[in-house]
């Protein structure tokens, strides 16, 4: 237990210095249009290039950042970096790519979130009306306070941002509440996708989410796609977009352009 406490303390202290030292990096995982296999977007994912431990997975430090309150400035840094990267890719002549950025629970509960996002968009020169920036929130964030969540989503929606519910199907979904939220996308959690070829229940849940999303006029994306069999099942079920290691692992920004130039549609 004492080792775990020391480990947590070391990570928290390291996080406090990481932003100042430029130790965080953003990797981007491609998102693919299911009907023709073409890349249409990326999800921005933070990584920590720790000076002693090397590249650290977010699962090791995000919970500590959330508990300590450090997730706020980290989240703003990711959003700013993603917006700047989007403009850089456009300047390099790449086709317009949608960029998805995750919001933490602490960020989403911040009453000043819309103003913070607007400031970052203005400072980076990112035009929200292009529809190329999508913010992701989880079901549990929304259900924590329905009224506040609906107001926050409404404010972000009015700015021209796309909004997605991440990990859909794992939380506390209520169809009555879902129709109140001004969102654009449902993301099928990878826990349903992983065994979709061998588990009839998971396949049925994924199919229901797709039908539900389409009935509400939403785009549906499946994450955690790793095999051609999963691709085919999701395509046949009418899933709109696919994301996972079958297409690409999350890539450093410098490698995304090469990946796009060399990519050949799969599935």
């Amino acid at each position: 237990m004492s080792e775990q406490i020391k480990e947590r303390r070391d990570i928290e202290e390291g996080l406090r210095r990481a932003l100042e030292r430029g130790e965080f990096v953003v990797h981007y995982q491609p998102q693919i249009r299911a009907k023709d296999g073409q890349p249409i977007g990326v999800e921005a994912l933070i990584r920590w290039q720790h000076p002693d431990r090397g590249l650290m997975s977010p699962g090791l430090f995000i919970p500590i950042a959330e508990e300590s309150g450090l997730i706020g400035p980290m989240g703003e840094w990711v959003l700013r970096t993603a917006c700047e990267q989007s403009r850089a890719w456009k300047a390099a002549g790449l086709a317009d790519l949608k960029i998805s950025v995750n919001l933490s629970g602490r960020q989403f509960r911040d009453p000043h979130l819309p103003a913070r996002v607007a400031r970052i968009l203005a400072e980076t020169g990112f035009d929200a009306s292009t529809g190329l920036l999508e913010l992701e929130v989880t079901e549990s964030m929304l259900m924590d306070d329905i009224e506040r969540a609906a107001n926050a989503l409404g404010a972000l929606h009015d700015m021209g941002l796309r909004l997605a519910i991440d990990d859909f199907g794992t939380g506390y979904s209520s169809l009555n509440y879902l129709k109140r939220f001004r969102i654009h996308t449902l993301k099928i959690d990878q826990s349903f996708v992983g065994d979709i070829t061998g588990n009839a229940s998971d396949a049925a849940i994924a199919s229901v989410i797709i039908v539900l999303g389409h009935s509400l006029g939403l785009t549906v994306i499946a994450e955690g796609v790793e095999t051609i069999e999963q691709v085919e099942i999701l395509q046949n079920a009418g899933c709109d977009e696919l994301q996972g290691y079958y297409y690409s692992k999350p890539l450093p920004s410098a490698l995304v352009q090469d990946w796009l130039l060399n990519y050949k549609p799969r599935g």
Side-chain angles (χ1 to χ4, degrees):
M1 184 176 293
S2 62
E3 291 180 358
Q4 292 175 346
I5 293 173
K6 181 179 183 303
E7 169 85 357
R8 188 193 187 287
R9 186 175 64 247
D10 289 347
I11 290 177
E12 183 174 339
E13 291 175 355
L15 286 172
R16 294 185 185 281
R17 298 188 296 267
L19 266 178
E20 299 174 0
R21 297 178 175 179
E23 294 172 1
F24 291 123
V25 295
V26 177
H27 286 189
Y28 300 88
Q29 187 169 36
Q31 298 172 329
I32 308 297
R33 188 164 52 215
K35 66 180 181 181
D36 60 10
Q38 292 297 326
I40 56 172
V42 293
E43 180 179 2
L45 300 163
I46 191 171
R47 300 290 187 265
W48 183 8
Q49 189 65 54
H50 193 281
D52 300 319
R53 306 183 188 198
L55 195 65
M56 291 181 64
S57 168
L60 296 174
F61 63 87
I62 289 296
I64 296 174
E66 184 86 39
E67 293 170 13
S68 65
L70 296 170
I71 196 69
M74 287 168 56
E76 289 192 15
W77 177 83
V78 172
L79 179 58
R80 182 183 302 278
T81 301
C83 289
E84 291 172 345
Q85 186 60 65
S86 177
R87 296 198 65 199
W89 282 332
K90 187 169 185 176
L94 295 182
D96 288 338
L97 286 175
K98 175 188 68 181
I99 290 190
S100 298
V101 178
N102 294 279
L103 293 179
S104 70
R106 188 178 286 266
Q107 281 181 286
F108 191 64
R109 290 190 297 270
D110 181 356
H112 304 296
L113 172 65
R116 295 183 191 279
V117 172
R119 186 191 73 246
I120 291 173
L121 296 179
E123 291 173 354
T124 59
F126 191 98
D127 183 2
S129 67
T130 60
L132 295 178
L133 178 61
E134 183 169 72
L135 301 181
E136 299 186 9
V137 297
T138 64
E139 284 181 278
S140 57
M141 292 183 205
L142 300 177
M143 305 310 292
D144 184 51
D145 185 332
I146 300 295
E147 199 62 37
R148 183 197 53 75
N151 291 336
L153 291 176
L156 295 169
H157 183 284
D158 290 342
M159 292 167 58
L161 301 174
R162 291 183 60 86
L163 300 164
I165 299 182
D166 196 11
D167 302 336
F168 189 76
T170 63
Y172 317 97
S173 302
S174 165
L175 302 187
N176 184 47
Y177 292 137
L178 186 60
K179 67 183 182 181
R180 292 186 54 191
F181 297 137
R182 299 173 69 187
I183 59 173
H184 304 83
T185 304
L186 295 182
K187 295 192 74 174
I188 303 174
D189 186 67
Q190 58 187 352
S191 64
F192 299 122
V193 175
D195 200 22
I196 200 172
T197 58
N199 187 310
S201 295
D202 284 350
I205 291 171
S207 180
V208 167
I209 292 174
I210 293 168
V211 172
L212 169 64
H214 289 169
S215 70
L216 295 173
L218 306 177
T219 297
V220 181
I221 177 169
E223 53 187 349
V225 178
E226 298 184 350
T227 69
I228 182 60
E229 291 79 15
Q230 293 169 342
V231 170
E232 291 172 347
I233 289 174
L234 291 163
Q235 285 176 327
N236 291 335
C239 193
D240 301 297
E241 300 174 16
L242 308 171
Q243 176 182 344
Y245 275 64
Y246 177 72
Y247 296 101
S248 174
K249 66 181 181 180
L251 300 168
S253 58
L255 298 182
V256 172
Q257 185 168 346
D258 289 340
W259 183 90
L260 289 168
L261 294 174
N262 295 309
Y263 173 77
K264 293 181 175 57
R266 305 183 65 190

